[in-house]
Coordinates of all heavy atoms in Angstrom, one line a residue:
A295 N -54.5 43.0 15.5 CA -55.3 43.0 14.2 C -54.5 43.8 13.1 O -55.1 44.6 12.4 CB -56.6 43.6 14.5
S296 N -53.2 43.6 13.0 CA -52.4 44.3 12.1 C -52.7 43.9 10.7 O -52.9 42.7 10.4 CB -50.9 44.1 12.4 OG -50.1 44.8 11.4
S297 N -52.7 44.9 9.7 CA -52.8 44.6 8.3 C -51.5 44.8 7.6 O -51.5 44.9 6.4 CB -53.9 45.5 7.7 OG -53.6 46.9 7.9
D298 N -50.4 45.0 8.4 CA -49.1 45.2 7.8 C -48.4 43.9 7.5 O -48.1 43.2 8.4 CB -48.3 46.1 8.8 CG -47.0 46.6 8.2 OD1 -46.6 46.1 7.1 OD2 -46.3 47.4 8.8
P299 N -48.1 43.6 6.3 CA -47.3 42.4 5.9 C -46.0 42.2 6.7 O -45.6 41.1 6.9 CB -47.1 42.5 4.4 CG -48.2 43.3 3.9 CD -48.4 44.4 5.0
R300 N -45.4 43.4 7.0 CA -44.1 43.3 7.8 C -44.4 42.7 9.2 O -43.5 42.0 9.7 CB -43.5 44.7 7.9 CG -43.0 45.2 6.6 CD -42.5 46.6 6.7 NE -43.6 47.5 7.1 CZ -43.4 48.8 7.3 NH1 -42.2 49.4 7.2 NH2 -44.4 49.6 7.7
T301 N -45.5 43.0 9.8 CA -45.8 42.4 11.1 C -46.0 40.9 10.9 O -45.5 40.1 11.7 CB -47.1 43.1 11.7 OG1 -46.9 44.5 11.9 CG2 -47.5 42.4 13.0
W302 N -46.7 40.5 9.9 CA -46.9 39.1 9.6 C -45.6 38.4 9.4 O -45.4 37.3 9.9 CB -47.9 38.9 8.4 CG -49.2 39.6 8.5 CD1 -49.8 40.0 9.6 CD2 -50.0 39.9 7.4 NE1 -51.0 40.6 9.3 CE2 -51.2 40.6 8.0 CE3 -50.0 39.8 6.0 CZ2 -52.2 41.0 7.2 CZ3 -51.0 40.2 5.2 CH2 -52.1 40.9 5.8
A303 N -44.7 39.1 8.7 CA -43.4 38.5 8.4 C -42.6 38.3 9.6 O -41.9 37.3 9.8 CB -42.7 39.3 7.4
R304 N -42.7 39.3 10.5 CA -41.9 39.1 11.8 C -42.5 38.0 12.6 O -41.7 37.3 13.3 CB -42.0 40.5 12.6 CG -41.1 41.6 12.0 CD -41.0 42.7 12.9 NE -42.2 43.5 13.0 CZ -42.4 44.6 12.2 NH1 -41.5 44.9 11.3 NH2 -43.5 45.3 12.3
R305 N -43.8 37.8 12.7 CA -44.4 36.7 13.4 C -44.0 35.4 12.8 O -43.7 34.4 13.5 CB -45.9 36.9 13.4 CG -46.4 37.9 14.4 CD -47.8 38.3 14.3 NE -48.8 37.2 14.4 CZ -49.2 36.7 15.5 NH1 -48.7 37.1 16.7 NH2 -50.1 35.7 15.6
L306 N -44.0 35.3 11.5 CA -43.7 34.1 10.8 C -42.2 33.7 11.1 O -41.8 32.5 11.3 CB -43.9 34.2 9.3 CG -44.1 32.9 8.6 CD1 -45.3 32.1 9.1 CD2 -44.3 33.2 7.1
K307 N -41.3 34.7 11.2 CA -39.9 34.5 11.4 C -39.7 33.8 12.8 O -38.8 33.0 12.9 CB -39.2 35.8 11.3 CG -37.7 35.7 11.5 CD -37.0 37.1 11.3 CE -35.5 37.0 11.4 NZ -34.8 38.3 11.3
L308 N -40.6 34.1 13.7 CA -40.4 33.5 15.1 C -40.7 32.0 15.1 O -40.3 31.3 16.0 CB -41.4 34.2 16.0 CG -41.1 35.7 16.4 CD1 -42.3 36.3 17.1 CD2 -39.8 35.8 17.2
L309 N -41.3 31.5 14.0 CA -41.6 30.1 13.9 C -40.5 29.3 13.3 O -40.4 28.1 13.4 CB -42.9 29.8 13.2 CG -44.2 30.5 13.7 CD1 -45.3 30.0 12.8 CD2 -44.4 30.1 15.1
R310 N -39.6 30.0 12.5 CA -38.7 29.3 11.6 C -37.7 28.3 12.3 O -37.6 27.1 11.8 CB -37.9 30.3 10.7 CG -37.3 29.7 9.5 CD -36.8 30.8 8.5 NE -38.0 31.6 8.1 CZ -38.1 32.9 8.1 NH1 -37.1 33.6 8.6 NH2 -39.1 33.5 7.6
S311 N -37.0 28.7 13.3 CA -36.1 27.8 13.9 C -36.8 26.7 14.6 O -36.3 25.5 14.6 CB -35.2 28.6 14.9 OG -36.0 29.1 16.0
F312 N -38.0 26.9 15.2 CA -38.7 25.8 15.8 C -39.1 24.8 14.7 O -39.0 23.6 14.9 CB -40.0 26.3 16.5 CG -40.9 25.3 16.9 CD1 -40.6 24.4 18.0 CD2 -42.1 25.1 16.3 CE1 -41.5 23.4 18.3 CE2 -43.0 24.1 16.6 CZ -42.7 23.2 17.7
M313 N -39.6 25.2 13.6 CA -40.0 24.3 12.5 C -38.9 23.5 12.0 O -39.0 22.3 11.7 CB -40.7 25.1 11.4 CG -42.0 25.8 11.8 SD -43.2 24.6 12.6 CE -43.5 23.4 11.3
R314 N -37.7 24.1 11.9 CA -36.5 23.3 11.5 C -36.2 22.2 12.5 O -35.9 21.1 12.2 CB -35.3 24.2 11.4 CG -35.3 25.2 10.2 CD -34.0 25.8 9.9 NE -34.0 26.8 8.9 CZ -34.0 28.1 9.2 NH1 -33.9 28.5 10.5 NH2 -34.1 29.0 8.3
W315 N -36.3 22.6 13.8 CA -36.1 21.6 14.9 C -37.2 20.5 14.9 O -36.9 19.3 15.1 CB -36.1 22.4 16.2 CG -36.1 21.5 17.5 CD1 -34.9 21.1 18.1 CD2 -37.1 21.0 18.2 NE1 -35.2 20.4 19.2 CE2 -36.6 20.3 19.3 CE3 -38.5 21.0 18.1 CZ2 -37.4 19.6 20.3 CZ3 -39.3 20.4 19.0 CH2 -38.8 19.7 20.1
L316 N -38.4 20.9 14.5 CA -39.5 19.9 14.5 C -39.4 18.9 13.5 O -40.0 17.8 13.6 CB -40.8 20.7 14.4 CG -42.1 20.0 14.5 CD1 -42.3 19.4 15.9 CD2 -43.3 20.9 14.2
L317 N -38.6 19.1 12.4 CA -38.5 18.2 11.3 C -37.9 16.8 11.8 O -38.2 15.8 11.1 CB -37.6 18.8 10.2 CG -38.2 19.9 9.4 CD1 -37.1 20.5 8.4 CD2 -39.4 19.4 8.6
Q318 N -37.2 16.8 12.8 CA -36.6 15.5 13.3 C -37.7 14.6 13.9 O -37.5 13.4 13.9 CB -35.6 15.8 14.4 CG -36.1 16.5 15.6 CD -35.0 16.8 16.6 OE1 -34.2 16.0 17.0 NE2 -34.9 18.1 17.0
F319 N -38.8 15.2 14.3 CA -39.9 14.4 14.8 C -41.1 14.3 13.7 O -41.8 13.2 13.7 CB -40.5 15.0 16.1 CG -39.4 15.3 17.1 CD1 -39.0 16.6 17.3 CD2 -38.9 14.2 17.8 CE1 -38.0 16.8 18.3 CE2 -38.0 14.4 18.8 CZ -37.5 15.7 19.1
E320 N -41.2 15.3 12.9 CA -42.3 15.3 11.9 C -41.8 15.7 10.6 O -41.8 16.9 10.2 CB -43.4 16.3 12.4 CG -44.0 16.0 13.7 CD -44.9 14.8 13.7 OE1 -45.3 14.4 12.6 OE2 -45.2 14.2 14.7
P321 N -41.2 14.8 9.8 CA -40.5 15.1 8.6 C -41.4 15.8 7.6 O -40.9 16.4 6.6 CB -40.0 13.7 8.1 CG -39.9 12.9 9.3 CD -41.0 13.3 10.2
G322 N -42.7 15.6 7.7 CA -43.6 16.1 6.7 C -43.9 17.6 6.9 O -44.6 18.2 6.0
C323 N -43.5 18.2 8.0 CA -43.8 19.6 8.3 C -43.0 20.5 7.3 O -41.9 20.1 6.8 CB -43.5 19.9 9.7 SG -44.6 19.2 10.9
E324 N -43.5 21.7 7.1 CA -42.8 22.6 6.2 C -42.1 23.7 7.0 O -42.5 24.0 8.2 CB -43.8 23.3 5.3 CG -44.5 22.3 4.4 CD -45.5 22.9 3.4 OE1 -45.9 24.1 3.7 OE2 -46.0 22.2 2.5
V325 N -41.1 24.3 6.5 CA -40.4 25.4 7.1 C -40.7 26.7 6.2 O -40.4 26.6 5.0 CB -38.8 25.2 7.1 CG1 -38.1 26.4 7.7 CG2 -38.5 23.9 8.0
P326 N -41.2 27.7 6.8 CA -41.6 28.9 6.0 C -40.4 29.6 5.5 O -39.4 29.8 6.1 CB -42.3 29.8 7.1 CG -41.8 29.4 8.4 CD -41.5 27.9 8.3
A327 N -40.5 30.0 4.2 CA -39.4 30.8 3.6 C -39.5 32.2 4.2 O -40.5 32.6 4.8 CB -39.6 30.9 2.1
D328 N -38.4 33.0 4.0 CA -38.3 34.3 4.6 C -38.9 35.4 3.7 O -38.8 36.6 4.0 CB -36.9 34.7 5.0 CG -36.0 34.7 3.8 OD1 -36.5 34.5 2.6 OD2 -34.8 34.9 4.0
A329 N -39.6 35.0 2.6 CA -40.1 36.1 1.7 C -41.6 35.9 1.4 O -42.1 36.5 0.5 CB -39.3 36.0 0.4
I330 N -42.3 35.1 2.3 CA -43.7 34.9 2.0 C -44.5 36.2 2.1 O -45.4 36.5 1.3 CB -44.3 33.9 3.1 CG1 -43.7 32.5 2.8 CG2 -45.8 33.8 3.0 CD1 -44.0 31.5 3.8
F331 N -44.2 37.0 3.1 CA -44.8 38.3 3.2 C -43.9 39.5 2.9 O -44.2 40.6 3.2 CB -45.4 38.5 4.6 CG -46.4 37.5 5.0 CD1 -46.2 36.7 6.1 CD2 -47.6 37.4 4.3 CE1 -47.2 35.8 6.5 CE2 -48.6 36.6 4.7 CZ -48.4 35.7 5.8
G332 N -42.8 39.2 2.2 CA -41.8 40.2 1.9 C -40.6 40.1 2.9 O -40.8 39.7 4.1
R333 N -39.4 40.4 2.5 CA -38.3 40.3 3.3 C -38.2 41.4 4.3 O -38.6 42.5 4.1 CB -37.0 40.3 2.5 CG -36.9 39.1 1.6 CD -35.5 39.0 0.8 NE -35.4 37.9 0.0 CZ -35.1 36.6 0.4 NH1 -34.8 36.4 1.6 NH2 -35.0 35.6 -0.5
L334 N -37.6 41.1 5.5 CA -37.5 42.1 6.6 C -36.0 42.5 6.6 O -35.1 41.8 6.3 CB -37.8 41.5 7.9 CG -39.3 41.2 8.2 CD1 -39.4 40.3 9.4 CD2 -40.1 42.5 8.3
P335 N -35.8 43.8 7.0 CA -34.4 44.2 7.3 C -33.8 43.3 8.5 O -34.6 42.8 9.3 CB -34.5 45.6 7.7 CG -35.9 45.8 8.2 CD -36.8 44.8 7.4
D336 N -32.5 43.2 8.5 CA -31.9 42.4 9.6 C -32.2 42.8 11.0 O -32.4 42.0 11.9 CB -30.3 42.4 9.4 CG -29.9 41.7 8.1 OD1 -30.7 40.9 7.6 OD2 -28.8 42.0 7.6
R337 N -32.3 44.1 11.2 CA -32.6 44.6 12.5 C -33.8 45.7 12.4 O -33.8 46.5 11.5 CB -31.4 45.3 13.2 CG -30.3 44.3 13.5 CD -29.2 45.1 14.2 NE -29.6 45.7 15.5 CZ -29.5 45.0 16.6 NH1 -29.0 43.8 16.7 NH2 -29.8 45.6 17.8

């Protein structure tokens, strides 16, 4: 139940590579940008 946008951004980042892969089967799907909840540090 986090209210921290950085936590949301980290969770969203876990979907990004899968959504790119999914485009080959579902071209209408969207790939989340990395700044929706604010950018994260690299590590």
Side-chain angles (χ1 to χ4, degrees):
S296 175
S297 59
D298 186 349
R300 291 174 299 179
T301 298
W302 304 339
R304 285 192 286 268
R305 282 167 60 79
L306 201 60
K307 185 177 180 180
L308 293 170
L309 303 182
R310 196 167 296 131
S311 62
F312 169 71
M313 295 307 300
R314 292 195 188 101
W315 175 88
L316 188 60
L317 287 174
Q318 63 186 304
F319 306 105
E320 300 290 341
C323 290
E324 299 178 350
V325 176
D328 60 2
I330 293 175
F331 297 121
R333 294 186 182 277
L334 288 170
D336 291 337
R337 293 180 65 89

